[in-house]
Structures are given as C-alpha cells and as structure tokens.
Amino acid sequence: MKALTQEAIEKKLLRFPDWEYYENAIHVEFEFDNFKDCFSAMSRIAFECEALNHHPNWTNVYNVLTISLSTHSADGVTEKDFELAQAIETIVEVQE
C-alpha cells in the first residue's frame, strides 16, 4: 500500500472535521461521558481493527481517547487509515 500525498490527505480530511494531519499521521481525540463509555468504544474499535488488520496508536486517560493512524509499512497515511477512521467515526457516532 502506498502513502498518500499531503494534498490527498488534506482533501480526504474534509470528510473528517475532527481529525488533523501532522507528524506523518492523522489524529483525533474523543471525549466521552465517563471511563466506561470510553472503554466500550475502544472495545468496539478493537474488533474493527482486527477485521481490517490495521491497528492504531492510541491512549486513554479516564474519558478521553486519543487516536493516531498511519501505515507503518508505507511510512505514512494510506487509504487503509481512512478506512479505519471512517469505521471509528461510525462507532463513536453510535456511542453518542
């Protein structure tokens, strides 16, 4: 899989207003009502990651989930990252 150009990434990010591109990855932060809701979303996201065989860099502090996506084998952001970002958005939307 080939890394996208910065121009292509920025164009795709127009569909993801909460996401940002920096440090060779796309990043987002979600805040939930509590830890349980945050962890529930993480669990649902984990199943999607396994299905896509693509795994994020992420951290969780209480009710905040921070996610960074890039494709290490391509040394940048690829279509696969946007596919996972879309799945994450769908999961988080349902949670809210």
Side-chain angles (χ1 to χ4, degrees), residues 26-63:
I26 55 174
H27 307 266
V28 71
E29 185 174 280
F30 298 108
E31 186 173 342
F32 297 86
D33 289 338
N34 53 53
F35 176 76
K36 178 182 64 86
D37 290 346
C38 185
F39 195 81
S40 175
M42 290 177 72
S43 295
R44 293 182 68 208
I45 292 167
F47 282 100
E48 192 64 37
C49 294
E50 283 298 302
L52 294 173
N53 193 30
H54 195 52
H55 305 89
N57 291 331
W58 61 3
T59 59
N60 161 244
V61 177
Y62 181 58
N63 66 330

